[in-house]
Amino acid sequence: DTEVTQTPKHLVMGMTNKKSLKCEQHMGHRAMYWYKQKAKKPPELMFVYSYEKLSINESVPSRFSPECPNSSLLNLHLHALQPEDSALYLCASSPNPRGGGETQYFGPGTRLLVL
Amino acid sequence: AQSVTQLGSHVSVSEGALVLLRCNYSSSVPPYLFWYVQYPNQGLQLLLKYTSAATLVKGINGFEAEFKKSETSFHLTKPSAHMSDAAEYFCAVIKNSGTYKYIFGTGTRLKVLA
């Protein structure tokens, strides 16, 4: 199983809502990532979890709150978002956080629209 | 600092023609380099990667790339384009910040003309 799954596929939320994005992998990977991708742009790294601990936060606003409850699951909690946060949110995983040539496996993404 | 530059944000080729997508890297150490493809409304899929073994790397869907240290390049090629190759292609290099992370190029959108 080389699949990373993400739910939901689409999400529309108001600026006062609280919602969560979910990412799951069962490949035994110990690094998990959240990316934000705007249209016609490359993915921008938001967070990296290494062995279930947050190892990189790319100065992301606090209205985005990541959580890694176990080695297979990664959540991104959203609160008080702005319209400019509308984007495709991608989750990825890789086997070894300290492996330099590791492939990252990406999920299909959640398309988020903030109204 | 590690970075990649993709020349040409849009490339159009005729079906059956050679595909050439350019990627140049900047790295103070031997790099790990990747090519990913993204189809509309989907995630990224690995095409191939260079990890200092063979300089000519073969990937999926008939793509290959050659690592040229003298030119600091890792261009992606395919001998004969197919309509299904139309997608966004990203080159990426690894940066070590304690934890390894990707630095992506700006992407090249490939259009295949019938």
Side-chain angles (χ1 to χ4, degrees):
Chain A
D1 182 6
T2 58
E3 190 179 25
V4 176
T5 60
Q6 290 186 245
T7 54
K9 288 187 177 181
H10 301 274
L11 180 62
V12 180
M13 60 186 292
M15 290 189 286
T16 59
N17 292 158
K18 285 185 181 181
K19 297 287 185 183
S20 296
L21 308 185
K22 178 181 173 180
C23 173
E24 201 160 4
Q25 57 87 15
H26 295 286
M27 296 178 278
H29 291 177
R30 304 309 299 276
M32 296 187 77
Y33 311 79
W34 280 117
Y35 290 87
K36 173 183 178 181
Q37 187 179 27
K38 302 284 275 186
K40 303 184 190 305
K41 297 290 186 183
E44 298 174 31
L45 183 65
M46 300 174 72
F47 302 104
V48 181
Y49 273 83
S50 173
Y51 300 102
E52 296 88 70
K53 294 190 188 309
L54 184 64
S55 63
I56 294 179
N57 176 341
E58 295 283 40
S59 302
V60 178
S62 60
R63 57 185 184 269
F64 295 91
S65 176
E67 179 196 20
C68 189
N70 59 57
S71 60
S72 299
L73 189 57
L74 186 65
N75 297 320
L76 186 62
H77 304 297
L78 314 172
H79 177 230
L81 295 193
Q82 303 296 309
E84 60 264 29
D85 297 321
S86 299
L88 181 67
Y89 288 84
L90 294 165
C91 174
S93 70
S94 65
N96 178 359
R98 302 191 182 101
E102 302 282 318
T103 298
Q104 288 189 20
Y105 295 84
F106 284 80
T110 293
R111 178 76 59 188
L112 174 66
L113 177 62
V114 182
L115 299 176
Chain B
Q2 286 86 348
S3 67
V4 289
T5 301
Q6 291 185 242
L7 291 175
S9 58
H10 292 82
V11 171
S12 293
V13 299
S14 298
E15 192 174 20
L18 172 72
V19 175
L20 171 60
L21 305 182
R22 300 177 186 274
C23 174
N24 288 88
Y25 69 90
S26 172
S27 177
S28 57
V29 296
Y32 297 115
L33 292 160
F34 303 78
W35 275 102
Y36 278 84
V37 61
Q38 185 176 31
Y39 298 101
N41 298 312
Q42 293 189 27
L44 279 69
Q45 180 183 12
L46 180 72
L47 282 174
L48 49 81
K49 67 179 182 181
Y50 170 76
T51 57
S52 75
T55 55
L56 181 62
V57 182
K58 294 187 183 300
I60 63 170
N61 302 339
F63 285 94
E64 64 181 37
E66 186 171 9
F67 175 75
K68 291 187 177 180
K69 185 177 179 180
S70 61
E71 299 176 9
T72 60
S73 68
F74 190 57
H75 301 331
L76 182 70
T77 61
K78 182 174 180 178
S80 177
H82 191 272
M83 298 297 286
S84 60
D85 296 326
E88 188 84 22
Y89 291 79
F90 293 101
C91 182
V93 68
I94 287 284
K95 178 177 180 179
N96 186 355
S97 303
T99 299
Y100 290 95
K101 63 180 186 180
Y102 283 176
I103 305 298
F104 284 98
T106 50
T108 298
R109 181 163 295 276
L110 177 65
K111 186 175 182 179
V112 181
L113 307 171

